[in-house]
Structure formats: structure tokens, C-alpha cells
Amino acid sequence: MEKLDDALQEHYATVLSRNPGEREFHQAVLEVLESLGPVVHKHPEYLHQAVIERLCEPERQLIFRVPWTDDQGRVQINRAFRVEFNSALGPYKGGLRFHPSVYLGIVKFLGFEQIFKNALTGLPIGGAKGGSDFDPKGRSDAEIMRFCQSMMTELYRHLGEYTDVPAGDIGVGQREIGYLFGQYKRITNRYESGVLTGKGLAYGGSQVRTEATGYGTVFFTEEMLATRGESLSGRRVIVSGSGNVAIYAAEKAIQLGAHVVACSDSSGYVVDEDGLDLALLRQVKEVDRQRVSVYADQRPNATFVEGGQVWDVPCEVALPCATQNELDGAAAKVLIDQGVRAVAEGANMPCTPDATRLFQEAGVLFAPGKAANAGGVATSSLEMQQNASRDSWSFEHTEQRLQEIMVGVHGRCAAAADEYGQPGNYVAGANISSFLRVADAMLSLGVV
Ligand code: GLU
């Protein structure tokens, strides 16, 4: 990875001092700024117009209390966030995450990434992220519903199809979006489908939204491999995680002829040399909400490794689809030594800066999350399109649109990398291409 250009040192120092302790946010900003040296030298107007400072300062940050009552009648208090980062390209757009690790620094890192990811899709969406330190693990359906209702009771006043459109992320799936939408509708007395995405198909959701992030990651991987005359067919693939992104990345990889042999969750990982049985995995994780060890118990040739790192499993393609900083330099070395050829981030920032650098130095094809996982939010934007026109598209049509969008994302990254003299560097390409789109819109809109 490049070093931070002298022209941008001061900007990064300002981000550090204005946002103390927000480690993940610092990491996300540095990763983008490291790519922008040549851009600001070629276009000094971005510096003169303080575009970088404006981009690093969210337009609006909301922090609020979420009180709710658990099944034992005890009052519980959580903290929730919505960071509306940048609306130069469209209404704020980005998911909500429910996880005990959520604090302002996580939401800001995710919101910052979202600006560039959304820009890369070519669609008219700004960047935002939200969430809560609420831990859904072990909570009943009724508790989840009360929590979502209480959260929306504050959040609704900040949302709107032309203002801010949340969706899911870790811990927030179709069930939670349903409860949030129900409460929004009740409070506002408006059936405003376009205010949330990731909805169920029965009430304005889009085909392929559930599959979109995982499918998109694999479409991007296939494009990347094609630049070297390769493809996923016959490749040995591992995914990390076993949520929405991981399951559907595995599904599309299998459809394209890959052999997907491992996945994981926070308890450890599973290797199944017969290839993952996705129907069983879905039952265990999505329906029964159990650990992956339960999957291994039911498969003859699967083993569960408690507490282990899935990156120890030899593979040719690795798809980190769990969470930030889950793949560090040591894990990257193991993957490289065992012959990995391509790594695509299905999750947001799963590779540490060290890991990314090692992959790039070793000549491994590496796709950063803001490019590789853009299919999720892109399909959210397709859901908004369908809602706005009161239409619903077929699975085939929607999947085709998703694939075209991912081919477009890949093309933009590759073209920017070439133009700035770093062919094959998807990190630089993604950062430069998306920055240019957002920065030019910001310049056009004036100092607002
Ligand atoms: N949370 C997802 C992401 O990281 C999806 C956001 C959305 O659909 O708005 O991009």
C-alpha cells in the first residue's frame, strides 16, 4: 500500500485529533487518503475547496437512547447511532448494525466506507450508517420487536425516501427491517415503501436483495479472475462467516463451479470436504440460529475446529464475509503460502492494512470491500427504484441488473487504477474512482 502523501498528512492529523479513540474510523480514512496523493496533485482544486476535510466530517451525527423492556419485565437501555455522512450523490443510504461492539467509531468507519461504495455503483445514493450496541443474541422475537419499535420511535423523524434510507447489516435482517418498517408506518401514517430497504417480498422488498451482497462479491471475483484468463470454475474456495453474505457468496460460487469447503462463525470454523451443504447451513444459521458446530455434527465428512481461524484452510480463493479486521497479516501469510490466488472482501474492511499489503505484494488479486460488496447496497437502490415506480421485477431481471452493476464497478476500479499508473490495484482504483465522483458532485453543489 502507498504511503500517505505529504499534501494529505495534515488532513489525516486533523481526523485523528477531531475523532479521538475511533480506531476503525481512522483506519478507513487512512486507507482512502493513501490512494489520493496523485489525485490531489493532478487536481489541486479539491484541496483548495477543502473537499477532503468536508468528506471526513459527517454532515450529521445522531446519538440517542433506546429504552425497551425485556421478557422478564426489566427495563433495558441501549445506545443507537445514525451517521449521515454525505449526501452529494443522493439521499443518505446505508445499513443498521446491531452488535455489542457498535460505538461511534464503528458507525463512522462504516458510514465513511459507504460514501465511496455507493459512489462506485454509479447509482444516486449518498452514504450513511447506523446501528446500536444492542446484542440480539439469545433475545426472543418479542424482545427484538420491542427494541426495533423503540429505536424507530426516535429514528423515524430523521428518515424519508428523499432523506435517509436505512437497510440491514450485521444483526439486522428481514425480520428487524419488518419491525422497523411497521413502526415507521404506524408513527407517520404513511406507506412509504422507499424509506427502508431489505424489506420482505410481501411488502415492497426486492428479489435478490437477500442474496445480493454475496452474489455481487462473487461476480466481482469472477471479473477480477478473468483479467488473468482465469475463473472460479473448479477452484477451491473458503468463506468466513455464515450469515447472509457468506451463505450467498458460497451459493453463487458453487453455481459457477467452485468447490466451497469452509465457513465460520464467532465460535470457530467448519471444513466440509464434500462441499458445503447450503440448505443445511441455512437451516442451522438462519432458521434455528445455532452455531456452525451443529452443521458439522450433521455432515459425515465435516469437522468443526473450535476457536480456530478459517484462514488456516488451504484454498485458491478466500472470501472474508464476516466482520472488520478478521484477517490479519499472519493469516494473510498462511493464505499466501498455501497458494491463494484471489481475495475479495464480502464484509466491510475484513482485512487489516497489513494483510492487504501482503496480498498486493504477493501479486494476489485483491478486491476491497467498497468494491466487492457493493452489490448489496446496489440492489437496495434497485429496491428503491421499484418502490418509486410501484413495480416489482423478476428474480432474473434483478439479478441481471446486479451483475451489470458489478461489472461496472469492476470496470471503474480497473480504469482508475490504469489511469493513475497502478494497473491491477483495486484498492487504489476503488478509492480514486469513487472519490472523483463524490468530489466533483460536491464541487458542483457549492459549499453546503
Ligand atoms: N449494510 C450493507 C452494506 O454494507 C447494505 C447497505 C444498504 O443496503 O443500504 O453495504
Side-chain angles (χ1 to χ4, degrees):
M1 219 180 287
E2 309 91 285
K3 230 186 66 57
L4 186 56
D5 191 278
D6 282 348
L8 295 166
Q9 295 280 353
E10 193 189 316
H11 298 88
Y12 184 57
T14 306
V15 168
L16 293 180
S17 69
R18 283 174 71 81
N19 305 279
E22 296 176 0
R23 201 169 56 82
E24 298 81 1
F25 179 48
H26 303 161
Q27 184 183 334
V29 171
L30 183 59
E31 193 239 301
V32 171
L33 294 190
E34 279 179 339
S35 302
L36 297 184
V39 179
V40 295
H41 283 289
K42 193 166 168 190
H43 296 283
E45 65 273 20
Y46 296 133
L47 290 180
H48 301 151
Q49 294 290 324
V51 170
I52 309 268
E53 289 98 316
R54 284 196 267 160
L55 262 170
C56 292
E57 182 69 19
E59 291 176 11
R60 188 178 294 116
Q61 308 182 55
L62 309 161
I63 305 180
F64 53 98
R65 184 184 68 168
V66 183
W68 57 284
T69 307
D70 68 19
D71 286 345
Q72 283 69 47
R74 284 186 303 248
V75 176
Q76 302 275 352
I77 302 297
N78 285 98
R79 185 175 291 176
F81 307 85
R82 185 73 180 165
V83 174
E84 298 178 334
F85 226 116
N86 191 291
S87 60
L89 297 180
Y92 303 110
K93 183 83 198 85
L96 299 172
R97 175 176 293 191
F98 293 172
H99 192 271
S101 64
V102 168
Y103 76 107
L104 189 58
I106 292 271
V107 181
K108 273 158 77 175
F109 121 62
L110 290 165
F112 186 76
E113 288 277 297
Q114 200 83 44
I115 305 170
F116 302 98
K117 181 195 308 194
N118 294 4
L120 272 178
T121 66
L123 298 163
I125 38 181
K129 204 81 181 195
S132 173
D133 57 6
F134 172 69
D135 186 358
K137 218 174 262 164
R139 290 294 175 193
S140 70
D141 240 37
E143 289 178 316
I144 300 280
M145 182 176 76
R146 287 195 296 274
F147 177 80
C148 289
Q149 289 177 339
S150 180
M151 181 164 171
M152 185 53 87
T153 301
E154 170 62 33
L155 194 57
Y156 86 94
R157 69 189 83 246
H158 308 290
L159 307 182
E161 63 176 315
Y162 296 108
T163 309
D164 185 355
V165 183
D169 195 80
I170 293 172
V172 178
Q174 222 175 81
R175 172 179 62 166
E176 292 72 18
I177 294 294
Y179 295 145
L180 291 162
F181 183 69
Q183 185 73 350
Y184 182 87
K185 180 171 80 63
R186 187 170 190 201
I187 294 175
T188 60
N189 194 31
R190 282 167 64 87
Y191 205 109
E192 193 183 334
S193 303
V195 73
L196 284 166
T197 61
K199 299 183 293 297
L201 291 177
Y203 60 96
S206 173
Q207 297 282 359
V208 195
R209 178 62 191 87
T210 310
E211 296 85 352
T213 312
Y215 278 21
T217 301
V218 170
F219 289 143
F220 193 97
T221 307
E222 193 74 337
E223 287 299 300
M224 210 165 55
L225 286 166
T227 64
R228 293 192 180 166
E230 299 177 12
S231 81
L232 273 161
S233 180
R235 295 282 178 202
R236 188 177 157 92
V237 176
I238 62 171
V239 300
S240 66
S242 46
N244 201 40
V245 183
I247 287 177
Y248 294 101
E251 181 169 280
K252 184 50 70 182
I254 292 167
Q255 284 173 14
L256 293 175
H259 190 51
V260 186
V261 292
C263 67
S264 65
D265 66 15
S266 57
S267 67
Y269 70 85
V270 161
V271 187
D272 188 344
E273 291 295 345
D274 294 338
L276 290 182
D277 174 343
L278 294 182
L280 177 61
L281 187 61
R282 222 174 276 147
Q283 176 68 33
V284 169
K285 295 303 299 185
E286 287 180 353
V287 183
D288 303 337
R289 296 183 193 268
Q290 292 285 335
R291 319 305 309 173
V292 282
S293 57
V294 175
Y295 169 94
D297 292 344
Q298 294 176 56
R299 292 278 292 172
N301 292 319
T303 47
F304 171 65
V305 180
E306 192 173 351
Q309 279 224 313
V310 71
W311 315 122
D312 291 340
V313 181
C315 66
E316 296 168 287
V317 175
L319 305 175
C321 297
T323 195
Q324 67 273 354
N325 293 327
E326 56 165 316
L327 196 170
D328 63 11
K333 278 202 190 93
V334 175
L335 283 164
I336 293 164
D337 288 347
Q338 306 207 83
V340 75
R341 312 179 65 80
V343 177
E345 295 187 323
N348 290 312
M349 207 169 75
C351 296
T352 64
D354 243 20
T356 303
R357 184 179 46 80
L358 288 167
F359 288 136
Q360 292 183 320
E361 285 171 3
V364 173
L365 289 165
F366 177 79
K370 61 171 78 72
N373 73 38
V377 74
T379 307
S380 278
S381 191
L382 301 182
E383 184 172 333
M384 292 163 75
Q385 271 185 48
Q386 291 168 76
N387 294 154
S389 57
R390 300 182 186 279
D391 198 358
S392 63
W393 305 344
S394 68
F395 192 96
E396 292 68 30
H397 175 69
T398 317
E399 186 182 8
Q400 197 192 328
R401 290 283 295 119
L402 167 63
Q403 187 168 8
E404 288 162 5
I405 290 167
M406 294 313 294
V407 170
V409 172
H410 177 272
R412 279 177 209 112
C413 295
D418 284 349
E419 190 188 333
Y420 281 83
Q422 300 175 68
N425 184 342
Y426 290 93
V427 174
N431 289 333
I432 293 171
S433 162
S434 56
F435 170 80
L436 288 172
R437 182 166 178 230
V438 182
D440 287 341
M442 288 172 71
L443 290 186
S444 302
L445 298 182
V447 180
V448 287

